[in-house]
């Protein structure tokens, strides 16, 4: 009688306060039956990885619109590895130029979703990658 | 796998703790074995329940309390007694429509980030209605076995009397806020039975004194002038009142011979500014001391074990009966009930007898 | 406005039309949707007639431009007299790079400056603070001290041009830097014109760039009101902003209701400080979003003026007509831009800008097509500026005042928005006012609900967004994006280090200590901030004093 739920951490690294997208995604994932740990704005890489560890999430979703992703994501991915969280699916959304996507994928960010991505696409992506 | 996890938990490994809690939440077969292995190592932590209506600032209060127990009143480590390690389980409601949940309590606990003496876990209620999740009590055991000295459980706070918390915690803090509970009628029924301590949070808001007064009146009414008190729903013989702080005992000095009763003290707090938190924390420790000295602790452990055993038996027998009554047989019986060919009592006899 | 007898006849005629011509038409060619909704989800009827504005009273509800209730505009001649200020929000990287961008824009016909600051500056951190990791110059220009401000405006005639600065929590400090920058060039503060956004309430509601709790934040805002009313008569000490509320997902009604409620809250705080309403209200300005729904936006701007005028006169007892006039800046909707097929954004921006002009805006920023991808390139920003010039000089819409007045549809929509705004006012009041409503998460919840509803409409194809859920292409994006100076950060850090070494550090400490003392008390902090700035104390140092005294705010959990 296992009752496995997908657990997702939604976090906003960096300083920007634009949390519209993060909140919409959090709701959409909840409505898709997932448990969403929402940590809110201004999260440092350390805080994000600590939360991912304690909450034992399957997915970490990072939302960033400030343009600081190329400075913050490598640190987050490093810390994830250091804490043995290699198996956690990491996805990102926000204002992320196409030219940065290959570098992000190389460091282990599996999905990058820009403005205009439907919430269904993200739900499907998560389900496919976890199954 | 299980051995590995148990070792990890006992060594305080955070990944192992997190994994084990998930295992319990997902109700995997390994969970029982893991819990069995952890059981001998539990029973050391003091468990504090924090309950109250939505928006009463439970998370902020837990944040402030945890910070105090870690670092003392001024943020200096060590002040206010030796620092205690703190585990936190924060429960939020599962959506009845989708089965999903948004767990947002960490937002209010960001002061605690980066402290290896703190472990925070968010938990969805997953259909349980008593303010906790089915897995909460077992998750507490994991934190207990991992060596956390104080464990806070923050309930859903959805509005119903959350009696589960009183069964799980040693000390239950009921959080009220001005404006919600300023009418005696508005204070939830059943709250006196579960509260060991009251916190009127957001005390800078209008009506705080009124809320304190309303609570005090309810306590007085309930205690009928003399201090007869319900502790966790159990009527106790009372000789004198000890309080954790808010008001001096109203009666004159009385002989301290027989077990003294605990009158729930009421504190005004402003969690976001860490005001009133020292008194509240002190009262939690005082309540612990009271439970130990009065013999309540032992008694409560027995009650808790009994209740737990009963629940497990209920669930397990239900599971077994339903497992035996293969799907088809069950479906056929249900159809017959609906067609009024059989009544549900007789049907259940069929199942249990069969 | 209409003869009741004629209206009665009209009603009969309308019923007849519905039963005959309409019935026939619907049978032949059914409508495309069961219900037609605005971008904000408000229903739009098939046809509007005098019946829909039967209660409209021309003199009471519309009046004449330049006169109460200003529904038709705040100036008698509107854009026939003077065009709106074409003010492009710009800033990135170092002060040097942004200075060059300003000169480029001025060369191409821009008529006012608008500064975008980077995230560390918005949060009151110096560029080299650990919290600023990776954020330098990304969303705007970094200004960590007076030295940066001096470079930013080097060679720009700040005595002749007005400057708007989008800065909130640290608004008083950045304003002080601007004042001292001019002072050092021999320009007295009395002649300076411009705007600081300084709208902290909407930060709590939507934009989330708050630092301190609401009440001490409000005190700093009122400090600037008081200082400005005495010494900078041409400065708008606040730009009460609906823009970010809308960007966070609010509807048009929510944008207007929450912004006006914020506005009244500032008025109350100013009056509580002992200022006379007419002393500071004329310097309050507004900032709205212009989203996709053309008529809804125009109606929103018209309703805004009418409500503000009425409340300022009737509720707050303002006597000076300048206190009744709602002056506003508009920015086209950043959230309506799409990352895919970015050229389409030029078209979206054009009609959003047109709505702002028809709605009577005083100044306008038009978004660049590439803003869903990065900060705007020179190429993209020029097209955006040209869009305004095209509307101004080629479309003809500026030739008359408030040309859409009297449209049954627009007037009915204006009335509806007004009514719904008042409904929100009553809700906010019931919660105890704006700040308690913030602390209870009321606005945040309303906005999150609206944002989610909107997204679901798109995801379920109830709402078509070209290039996003229909007419999708897989073409790669071909427009050139902005390249920033890769060594900007190092230069900025070096400049900061040199500054901290070479300035008179004793003077810095003593001015900071004096500020701390003032912050703890109730004095106006502006003179103390100015002294810190003159001593070249950094933004982080000055804001650090306030952080210490006021503490930092945590928002309620609303998702």
């Amino acid at each position: 009688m296992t009752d496995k739920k997908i657990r997702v951490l939604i976090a906003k690294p960096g300083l920007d306060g634009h949390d519209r997208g993060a909140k919409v995604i959090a709701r959409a994932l909840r409505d898709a039956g997932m448990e969403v740990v929402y940590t809110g704005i201004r999260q440092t890489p350390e805080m994000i990885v600590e939360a991912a560890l304690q909450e034992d999430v399957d997915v970490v979703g990072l939302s960033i619109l400030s343009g600081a992703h190329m400075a913050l994501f490598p640190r987050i991915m490093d810390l994830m590895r250091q804490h043995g969280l290699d198996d956690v699916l990491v996805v990102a959304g926000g204002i992320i130029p196409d030219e940065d996507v290959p570098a992000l994928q190389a460091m282990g960010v599996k999905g990058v979703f820009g403005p205009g991505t439907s919430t269904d696409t993200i739900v499907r992506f998560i389900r496919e990658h976890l199954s | 796998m299980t051995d590995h996890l148990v070792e990890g938990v006992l060594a305080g490994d955070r990944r192992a703790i997190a994994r084990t809690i998930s295992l319990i939440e997902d109700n995997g077969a390994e969970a029982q074995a893991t819990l069995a292995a952890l059981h001998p190592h539990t029973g050391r932590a003091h468990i504090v329940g924090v309950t109250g209506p939505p928006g009463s600032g439970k998370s902020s209060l837990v944040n402030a309390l945890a910070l105090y127990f870690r670092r003392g009143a001024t943020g200096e480590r060590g002040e206010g007694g030796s620092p205690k390690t703190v585990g936190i389980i924060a429960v939020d409601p599962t959506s009845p429509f989708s089965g999903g949940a948004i767990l947002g309590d960490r937002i209010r606990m960001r002061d605690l980030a980066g402290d290896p003496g703190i472990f925070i876990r968010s938990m969805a209620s997953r259909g349980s209605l008593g303010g906790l999740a089915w897995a909460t009590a077992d998750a507490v055991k994991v934190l207990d076995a991992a060596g956390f000295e104080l464990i806070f459980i923050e309930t859903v706070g959805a509005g119903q009397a959350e009696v589960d918390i009183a069964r799980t915690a040693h000390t239950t803090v009921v959080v009220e806020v001005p404006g919600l509970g300023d009418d005696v009628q508005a204070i939830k029924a059943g709250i006196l039975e579960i509260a060991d301590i009251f916190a009127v949070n957001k005390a800078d808001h209008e009506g705080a004194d009124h809320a304190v007064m309303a609570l005090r009146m309810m306590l007085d009414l309930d205690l009928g002038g003399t201090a007869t008190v319900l502790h966790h729903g159990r009527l106790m013989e009372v000789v004198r009142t000890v309080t954790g702080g808010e008001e001096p005992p109203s009666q004159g000095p009385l002989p301290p011979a027989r077990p003294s009763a605990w009158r729930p003290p009421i504190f005004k707090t402003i969690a976001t500014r860490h005001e009133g938190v020292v008194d509240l924390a002190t009262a939690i420790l005082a309540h612990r001391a009271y439970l130990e000295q009065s013999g309540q602790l032992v008694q409560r452990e027995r009650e808790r074990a009994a209740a737990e055993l009963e629940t497990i038996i209920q669930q397990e027998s239900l599971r077994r009966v339903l497992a035996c009554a293969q799907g088809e047989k069950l479906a056929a019986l249900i159809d017959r009930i609906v067609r009024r060919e059989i009544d549900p009592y007789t049907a259940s006899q069929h199942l249990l007898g069969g | 406005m209409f003869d009741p007898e004629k209206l009665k006849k009209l009603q009969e005629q309308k019923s007849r039309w519905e039963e005959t011509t309409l019935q026939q038409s619907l049978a032949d060619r059914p409508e495309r949707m069961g219900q037609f909704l605005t971008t904000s989800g408000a229903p739009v009827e098939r046809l509007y007639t005098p019946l829909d504005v039967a209660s409209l009273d021309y003199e009471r509800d519309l009046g004449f431009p330049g006169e109460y209730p200003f529904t038709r505009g705040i100036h008698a001649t509107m854009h026939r007299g003077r065009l709106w200020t074409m003010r492009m929000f710009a800033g990135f990287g170092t002060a040097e790079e942004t200075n060059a961008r300003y000169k480029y824009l001025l060369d191409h016909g821009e008529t006012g400056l608008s500064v975008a600051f980077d995230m560390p500056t918005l949060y009151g951190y110096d560029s080299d603070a650990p919290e600023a990791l990776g954020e330098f110059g990304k969303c705007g220009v970094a200004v960590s001290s007076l030295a940066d401000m001096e470079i930013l405006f080097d060679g720009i005639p700040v005595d002749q041009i007005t400057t708007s600065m989008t800065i909130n929590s640290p608004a008083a400090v950045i304003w002080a830097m601007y004042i001292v920058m001019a002072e050092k060039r021999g320009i007295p503060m009395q002649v300076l014109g411009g705007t600081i956004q300084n709208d902290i309430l909407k930060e709590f509601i939507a934009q989330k760039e708050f630092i301190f709790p609401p009440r001490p934040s409000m005190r700093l805002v009122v400090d600037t009101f008081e200082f400005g009313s005495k010494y900078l008569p041409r400065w708008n000490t606040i730009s009460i902003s609906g823009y970010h509320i809308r960007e966070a997902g609010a509807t048009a009604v929510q944008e207007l209701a929450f912004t006006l409620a914020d506005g009244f809250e500032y008025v109350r705080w100013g009056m509580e400080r002992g200022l006379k309403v007419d002393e500071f209200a004329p310097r309050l300005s507004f900032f709205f979003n212009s989203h996709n729904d053309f008529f809804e936006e125009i109606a929103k701007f018209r309703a805004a003026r009418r409500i503000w005028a009425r409340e300022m006169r009737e509720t707050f007892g303002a006597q000076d007509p300048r206190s009744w006039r709602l002056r506003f800046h508009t920015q086209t909707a950043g959230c309506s831009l799409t990352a895919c097929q970015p050229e389409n954004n030029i078209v979206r921006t054009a009609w959003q800008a047109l709505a702002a002009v028809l709605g009577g805006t005083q100044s306008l920023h038009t978004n660049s097509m590439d803003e869903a991808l990065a900060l705007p390139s020179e190429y993209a920003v020029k097209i955006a500026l040209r869009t305004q010039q095209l509307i101004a000089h080629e479309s003809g819409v500026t030739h008359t005042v408030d040309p859409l007045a009297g449209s049954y549809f627009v007037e009915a929509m204006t009335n509806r928005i007004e009514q719904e705004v008042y409904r929100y006012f009553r809700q906010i009041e019931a919660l105890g006012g704006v700040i308690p409503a913030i602390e209870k998460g009321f606005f945040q919840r309303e906005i999150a609900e609206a944002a989610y509803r909107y997204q679901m409409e798109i995801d379920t194809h109830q709402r078509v967004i070209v290039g996003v859920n229909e007419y999708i292409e897989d073409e790669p994006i071909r427009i050139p994006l902005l390249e920033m100076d890769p060594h900007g950060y190092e230069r900025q850090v070096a400049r900061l280090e040199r500054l901290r070494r070479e300035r008179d550090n004793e003077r810095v400490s003593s001015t900071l200590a004096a500020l701390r003392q003032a912050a703890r008390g109730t004095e106006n902090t502006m003179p103390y901030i100015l002294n810190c700035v003159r001593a070249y104390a950094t933004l982080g140092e000055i804001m650090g004093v306030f952080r210490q005294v006021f503490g930092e705010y945590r928002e309620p959990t609303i998702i």
Side-chain angles (χ1 to χ4, degrees):
Chain A
M1 192 163 81
T2 59
D3 183 22
K4 176 77 186 129
K5 294 265 186 200
I6 296 175
R7 284 172 69 86
V8 187
L9 181 79
I10 298 289
K12 277 193 62 56
L15 289 178
D16 81 273
H18 301 100
D19 55 8
R20 173 181 181 165
K23 286 183 174 181
V24 165
I25 292 299
R27 281 179 173 230
L29 297 183
R30 175 201 58 194
D31 290 351
M34 302 181 196
E35 291 183 354
V36 183
V37 180
Y38 185 79
T39 56
I41 56 174
R42 301 188 211 173
Q43 296 284 302
T44 63
E46 287 76 11
M47 289 162 94
I48 291 167
V49 175
E50 183 182 39
L53 177 84
Q54 295 179 354
E55 301 290 354
D56 191 35
V57 291
D58 307 292
V59 185
V60 172
L62 304 168
S63 165
I64 187 163
L65 288 86
S66 75
H69 49 276
M70 293 312 282
L72 294 169
F73 283 23
R75 175 104 187 108
I76 294 170
M77 299 311 290
D78 267 0
L79 286 168
M80 296 274 289
R81 265 185 294 276
Q82 278 173 36
H83 287 89
L85 300 174
D86 310 71
D87 54 340
V88 176
L89 173 68
V90 180
V91 295
I95 306 271
I96 296 174
D98 281 357
E99 62 201 49
D100 292 343
V101 172
L104 292 176
Q105 282 173 337
M107 62 180 90
V109 179
K110 290 274 166 23
V112 178
F113 303 103
T117 311
S118 81
T119 57
D120 296 344
T121 306
I122 296 168
V123 168
R124 227 177 304 123
F125 183 90
I126 290 175
R127 288 213 175 110
E128 277 165 17
H129 275 74
L130 293 183
S131 62
Chain B
M1 172 77 179
T2 297
D3 288 349
H4 176 69
L5 277 183
V6 170
E7 267 171 45
V9 169
L10 294 178
D13 175 68
R14 299 162 87 74
R15 181 113 168 103
I17 296 168
R19 275 279 153 96
T20 307
I21 294 176
S22 300
L23 201 63
I24 292 165
E25 279 199 287
D26 296 337
N27 208 4
E30 288 157 282
Q32 286 187 15
T34 309
L35 282 166
L38 292 176
H39 187 74
H41 305 278
T42 60
R44 292 174 298 180
H46 186 67
I47 303 161
V48 182
V50 179
T51 184
S56 56
K58 296 185 290 293
S59 303
S60 300
L61 205 55
V62 169
N63 174 64
L65 283 167
L67 208 60
Y68 171 78
F69 282 116
R70 293 299 297 152
R71 302 183 205 166
T74 57
E76 296 303 318
R77 212 166 268 272
E79 196 187 309
S82 57
K84 293 187 187 309
T85 51
V86 178
I88 297 169
I89 294 176
V91 189
D92 276 320
T94 289
S95 157
F97 304 107
S98 68
I102 289 179
L103 315 173
D105 294 316
R106 290 188 88 97
I107 297 182
R108 314 290 307 176
M109 301 184 186
R110 61 183 291 144
D111 293 335
L112 309 178
D115 182 346
I118 286 186
F119 190 99
I120 306 168
R121 179 64 176 239
S122 314
M123 195 174 260
S125 63
R126 296 196 186 177
S128 161
L129 294 174
L132 301 180
W134 300 118
T136 305
D138 285 338
V140 166
K141 287 184 197 163
V142 177
L143 294 176
D144 187 351
F148 288 93
E149 295 161 291
L150 265 171
I151 296 168
F152 287 95
I153 305 171
E154 182 190 329
T155 72
V156 168
Q160 75 272 44
E162 296 183 323
V163 288
D164 280 1
I165 190 66
R167 278 197 283 271
T168 310
H170 296 118
T171 301
T172 300
V173 179
V174 172
V175 188
E176 292 287 339
V177 272
L180 290 180
D182 56 359
D183 185 343
V184 177
Q185 299 301 322
I187 295 177
K188 284 180 295 186
I191 222 150
L192 289 180
E193 283 81 350
I194 65 166
D196 298 308
I197 298 171
F198 285 101
V200 175
N201 195 30
K202 304 190 180 179
D204 52 338
H205 289 197
E206 216 175 303
D209 290 328
H210 197 80
V212 171
M213 221 158 62
L215 283 171
R216 195 176 295 158
M217 259 170 56
M218 277 184 71
L219 282 173
D220 287 344
L221 277 177
D222 196 70
L223 305 182
T226 64
T228 310
V229 81
L230 292 161
H231 178 70
H232 291 321
R234 182 158 297 270
L235 185 68
M236 296 189 21
E237 190 188 2
V238 169
V239 173
R240 76 166 240 187
T241 305
V242 280
T243 73
E246 166 258 335
E247 51 197 323
S250 50
Q251 298 99 330
L254 285 164
R258 282 184 288 166
S260 52
W262 176 266
R263 179 187 160 107
I266 308 165
F267 298 99
K268 287 198 280 187
T269 56
I270 306 170
T272 50
R273 285 195 244 143
H274 303 257
E275 286 176 27
V277 172
V278 178
D279 291 342
L280 184 59
T282 309
I284 290 171
L285 296 178
H287 186 247
R288 168 76 185 190
Y290 158 76
L291 291 177
E292 282 173 1
Q293 283 157 21
S294 63
Q296 281 281 301
L297 198 64
V298 181
Q299 194 185 330
R300 285 202 18 76
E301 282 295 316
R302 275 197 67 83
E303 285 167 17
R304 215 152 56 120
E308 194 179 9
L309 186 60
E310 200 175 298
T311 311
I312 294 170
I313 292 171
Q314 274 175 3
Q315 285 177 354
E316 183 59 17
S317 17
L318 180 66
R319 192 189 65 78
R320 284 190 193 180
V321 169
L322 293 181
C324 282
Q326 293 123 11
E328 274 174 42
K329 188 176 167 193
L330 191 64
L333 267 178
I334 292 168
D335 285 341
R336 290 181 60 203
I337 296 171
V338 173
R339 286 198 303 267
R340 302 296 186 275
E341 293 168 10
I342 189 171
D343 70 282
Y345 291 99
T346 311
S348 72
Q349 287 304 327
H350 276 291
L351 287 173
L352 291 169
Chain C
M1 205 156 91
F2 300 98
D3 174 13
E5 268 308 301
K6 282 196 170 159
L7 282 177
K8 214 174 128 208
K9 268 207 192 109
L10 188 61
Q11 180 61 61
E12 289 164 15
Q13 285 298 311
K14 193 180 173 206
S15 303
R16 178 200 54 74
W17 171 77
E18 281 169 345
E19 284 155 25
T20 56
T21 311
L22 174 65
Q23 201 75 25
Q24 185 64 49
S25 175
L26 287 175
D28 295 348
R29 20 183 291 164
E31 292 181 338
R32 289 178 292 111
M33 290 184 275
Q35 202 184 19
F36 289 77
L37 300 175
T38 68
T39 299
S40 298
V44 178
E45 301 301 324
R46 178 178 300 117
L47 185 76
Y48 290 80
T49 69
L51 293 165
D52 297 287
V53 287
S55 63
L56 194 76
D57 178 323
Y58 185 86
E59 275 180 69
R60 183 194 64 199
D61 300 328
L62 303 180
F64 288 91
E67 288 181 7
Y68 187 89
F70 301 99
T71 311
R72 305 205 58 183
I74 61 162
H75 299 300
T77 60
M78 286 308 291
H79 300 134
R80 286 167 69 103
R82 215 184 63 151
L83 291 168
W84 62 92
T85 306
M86 298 181 190
R87 195 188 288 287
M88 303 298 281
F89 184 49
F92 57 90
T94 56
E96 288 90 342
E97 287 166 272
T98 300
N99 176 267
R101 172 63 65 92
Y102 291 163
K103 288 174 178 162
Y104 173 87
L105 286 166
L106 290 170
D107 282 350
H108 285 84
E110 177 177 69
T111 52
L113 293 174
S114 174
V115 187
F117 295 98
D118 72 354
M119 298 308 308
T121 308
L122 293 171
Y123 280 110
Y125 294 122
D126 292 341
S127 296
D128 54 359
E131 292 86 352
L133 176 70
E135 306 274 11
F136 166 81
K138 284 286 186 340
C139 286
V141 60
V143 173
S144 299
S145 77
L146 172 59
D148 296 337
M149 191 65 93
E150 288 171 318
I151 296 166
L152 187 60
F153 287 95
D154 184 50
I156 292 171
V158 294
D159 49 348
Q160 292 159 39
I161 198 156
T162 59
T163 302
S164 170
M165 293 188 278
T166 297
I167 189 80
N168 292 282
S169 263
V173 184
I174 293 291
W175 190 33
M177 288 181 185
Y178 190 84
I179 292 169
V180 176
M181 173 271 297
E183 182 179 280
K184 293 191 68 177
R185 282 159 57 174
I187 301 164
M189 56 178 94
Q190 282 74 12
V191 309
L192 293 179
T195 307
I196 40 175
Q197 194 165 78
N198 204 19
D199 173 11
I200 199 64
L201 291 172
K202 67 93 174 54
E203 295 297 335
F204 295 113
I205 291 174
Q207 174 89 338
K208 309 295 170 69
E209 285 154 13
F210 48 75
I211 302 174
F212 320 118
R215 289 169 183 85
S217 298
M218 287 295 279
R219 178 222 169 158
L220 289 181
V221 172
V222 181
D223 282 355
T224 62
F225 288 179
E226 195 176 31
F227 189 83
S229 71
K230 280 191 192 134
Y231 305 110
L232 286 89
R234 295 183 56 222
W235 199 277
N236 301 313
T237 39
I238 194 167
S239 170
I240 305 157
S241 306
Y243 181 79
H244 318 83
I245 293 175
R246 192 67 179 280
E247 288 290 299
T251 64
V253 167
Q254 288 169 345
E255 177 194 357
L256 186 54
F258 300 170
T259 307
L260 291 175
D262 288 350
F264 300 135
E265 187 68 14
Y266 291 116
V267 173
R268 274 184 214 104
W269 277 70
M271 291 170 79
E272 269 166 37
R273 176 68 68 93
L275 299 173
K276 289 205 181 66
V277 64
D278 288 325
E279 273 172 17
F280 68 97
R283 297 322 299 171
L284 305 177
S285 63
F286 286 82
F287 173 22
F288 291 112
N289 194 304
S290 190
H291 209 298
N292 273 340
D293 205 293
F294 190 69
F295 292 107
E296 187 175 46
E297 295 307 306
I298 295 167
K300 178 186 77 182
F301 299 127
R302 300 175 81 247
R305 278 192 295 269
R306 188 155 78 203
I307 299 169
W308 181 253
R310 183 189 303 123
E311 292 302 311
M312 288 307 288
R313 194 173 82 170
E314 307 303 331
T315 307
F316 294 98
Q319 313 263 307
D320 185 343
R322 292 180 309 146
S323 302
W324 306 336
R325 295 189 317 194
L326 179 143
R327 298 171 299 129
F328 69 102
H329 171 72
T330 308
Q331 179 169 343
T332 55
C335 62
S336 73
L337 303 181
T338 59
C340 43
Q341 304 176 34
E343 296 87 346
N344 296 348
N345 293 327
I346 299 173
V347 185
R348 289 189 180 97
T349 298
W351 84 68
Q352 293 168 2
L354 183 60
V357 170
L358 289 170
T361 196
Q362 275 61 62
S363 69
L364 180 61
H365 165 98
T366 31
N367 289 323
S368 302
M369 62 171 151
D370 51 0
E371 288 189 59
L373 301 162
L375 288 184
S377 68
E378 246 176 35
Y379 173 69
V381 81
K382 190 165 72 185
I383 296 174
L385 175 61
R386 293 279 181 260
T387 305
Q388 296 198 34
Q389 293 159 343
L390 286 161
I391 294 171
H393 302 292
E394 296 188 22
S395 74
V397 299
T398 55
H399 298 351
T400 189
V401 174
D402 190 25
L404 289 172
S407 147
Y408 308 124
F409 177 39
V410 171
E411 295 298 356
M413 183 102 93
T414 306
N415 291 346
R416 171 187 63 79
I417 289 177
E418 182 179 0
Q419 283 159 14
E420 290 179 19
V421 164
Y422 272 95
R423 198 170 311 143
Y424 266 121
F425 286 170
R426 287 191 290 275
Q427 271 181 283
I428 295 164
E429 210 179 309
L431 289 166
V434 171
I435 294 179
I438 286 171
E439 289 167 341
K440 288 175 181 139
F442 170 73
F443 303 108
Q444 300 92 311
R445 194 173 295 112
E446 288 288 311
I447 295 169
E449 297 276 342
Y452 193 55
R453 213 161 45 227
Y454 185 76
Q455 184 62 44
M456 288 305 113
E457 286 167 9
I458 295 170
D459 286 359
T460 56
H461 290 249
Q462 287 172 310
R463 189 176 290 286
V464 171
I465 305 291
V466 173
V468 170
N469 60 0
E470 296 274 354
Y471 316 108
I472 301 166
E473 287 173 34
D474 248 347
E475 293 282 294
I477 292 161
R478 277 178 313 244
I479 56 173
L481 296 182
L482 174 73
E483 299 275 349
M484 274 191 254
D485 176 0
H487 304 294
Y489 179 68
E490 290 129 61
R491 282 198 288 128
Q492 172 74 357
V493 171
R495 181 150 71 222
L496 262 170
E497 281 168 356
R498 194 170 59 245
L499 177 93
R500 292 196 191 101
R501 219 172 30 241
E502 291 174 0
R503 67 188 179 179
D504 177 352
N505 273 308
E506 263 172 49
R507 191 172 157 215
V508 171
S509 311
S510 68
T511 53
L512 287 173
L515 175 64
R516 184 171 298 117
Q517 195 68 24
R520 287 201 180 116
T522 54
E523 257 182 291
N524 193 313
T525 52
M526 270 311 290
Y528 297 92
I529 298 173
L530 282 162
N531 282 339
C532 296
V533 167
R534 288 186 186 110
Y536 285 92
T538 66
L539 175 68
E541 289 165 338
I542 299 171
M543 291 300 284
V545 167
F546 289 126
R547 279 190 157 93
Q548 239 178 29
V549 177
F550 298 149
E552 296 194 35
Y553 181 70
R554 300 284 147 72
E555 60 173 339
T557 309
I558 304 295
I559 295 129

